[in-house]
Amino acid sequence: MINSKKKISLHVTAIICVVLATTFFNSCNSNDYNDEQMYDTKLLIDTIATSDEFGEFERNSELLSDKFQAYTSTLSAEEYNKLMENLNDDDYMEEKELQQMNEAKENLLLHTGFSRLSEDERMLLFMQYAESREFTGKTLIKTRTEGNANSCETNKQIAYAQAKADYDNAIIKCRQESSTNYCYTQALAKYERSKRTSDRVYEECIKK
């Protein structure tokens, strides 16, 4: 006959086994769920990236940035600094272009799964596009210090891609209200400053 101590010991052992088995089962289920969730998120990002709405959003955001860069390239250093200090002047942006940007942004939010993405997932989407745009078809500068120049160019492209992703994320956050134009201007100015900073870093890099 099993004494009471052995009974208690067997009972405790059985409980421990059940707990370990349950924990292992839950852990496996949790891992499977996380893997499935990661796959679903990647699939969603890829689907959005190839959608017409995302393409139209990117086309309009680049149209605004190209227009802003064309405008700032005509300014002297003093005029440029003055503009950066007072961004209320939006004469360089036409109402039609702003309206197209608004419509493209709303279509992206309403007709794709974009609104289901978290902040980090949105940045991943924008960064993937920016990197693809920045690194596709680019020819690295060849100099007598070719290795260093290639490294400098790569770092510049990475910085440009990050600036583009940050710019797109800022644009998508702008709301359709009285301050939307100013919000766009802020995003454009930050994008322009980031690219100019990258250009200066690149010039210093290739001199080394």
Side-chain angles (χ1 to χ4, degrees):
M1 186 175 181
I2 302 174
N3 60 37
S4 57
K5 286 186 178 181
K6 283 189 176 181
K7 285 183 179 180
I8 293 173
S9 177
L10 289 172
H11 184 64
V12 170
T13 301
I15 291 175
I16 292 173
C17 289
V18 170
V19 170
L20 288 175
T22 303
T23 301
F24 177 76
F25 179 76
N26 289 338
S27 176
C28 290
N29 284 345
S30 177
N31 290 336
D32 290 342
Y33 173 77
N34 289 335
D35 290 343
E36 183 178 351
Q37 190 175 41
M38 287 177 63
Y39 175 78
D40 290 343
T41 298
K42 184 180 184 305
L43 185 61
L44 178 59
I45 289 174
D46 290 344
T47 301
I48 296 170
T50 56
S51 68
D52 291 339
E53 289 83 1
F54 184 74
E56 191 65 12
F57 170 84
E58 286 296 344
R59 188 184 73 80
N60 282 281
S61 76
E62 288 169 16
L63 181 65
L64 282 186
S65 64
D66 289 345
K67 186 80 176 286
F68 186 80
Q69 185 175 26
Y71 175 76
T72 57
S73 66
T74 65
L75 303 178
S76 65
E78 182 180 353
E79 290 170 333
Y80 175 81
N81 291 333
K82 185 176 180 180
L83 173 67
M84 292 297 109
E85 292 172 1
N86 180 18
L87 293 169
N88 293 320
D89 180 7
D90 59 357
D91 292 339
Y92 45 84
M93 289 194 292
E94 297 178 7
E95 188 62 34
K96 181 182 178 181
E97 294 167 343
L98 296 171
Q99 183 59 34
Q100 288 174 338
M101 185 72 260
N102 287 336
E103 291 175 358
K105 182 176 60 177
E106 291 306 307
N107 285 334
L108 178 63
L109 292 169
L110 293 174
H111 302 305
T112 70
F114 186 87
S115 59
R116 290 162 50 194
L117 298 177
S118 67
E119 178 75 11
D120 289 341
E121 290 164 353
R122 291 182 180 190
M123 280 302 298
L124 178 60
L125 169 64
F126 288 136
M127 195 63 186
Q128 284 181 351
Y129 174 82
E131 287 178 344
S132 174
R133 173 179 178 270
E134 194 59 40
F135 285 92
T136 301
K138 293 295 179 73
T139 301
L140 297 178
I141 294 176
K142 306 292 184 182
T143 69
R144 61 187 179 85
T145 55
E146 183 176 333
N148 183 55
N150 287 350
S151 175
C152 295
E153 179 71 12
T154 298
N155 290 337
K156 177 185 173 183
Q157 290 173 343
I158 292 172
Y160 263 45
Q162 184 64 60
K164 175 72 168 84
D166 290 340
Y167 163 65
D168 282 341
N169 195 44
I171 288 291
I172 203 72
K173 289 181 177 180
C174 293
R175 295 288 180 261
Q176 285 193 349
E177 52 193 30
S178 58
S179 61
T180 301
N181 291 7
Y182 180 69
C183 181
Y184 286 162
T185 305
Q186 290 285 334
L188 286 163
K190 183 178 179 182
Y191 185 31
E192 179 71 13
R193 284 194 296 265
S194 295
K195 288 192 294 183
R196 290 198 176 199
T197 298
S198 300
D199 290 341
R200 286 196 298 271
V201 172
Y202 170 76
E203 292 298 329
E204 293 171 1
C205 180
I206 60 175
K207 291 176 182 177
K208 294 179 181 179

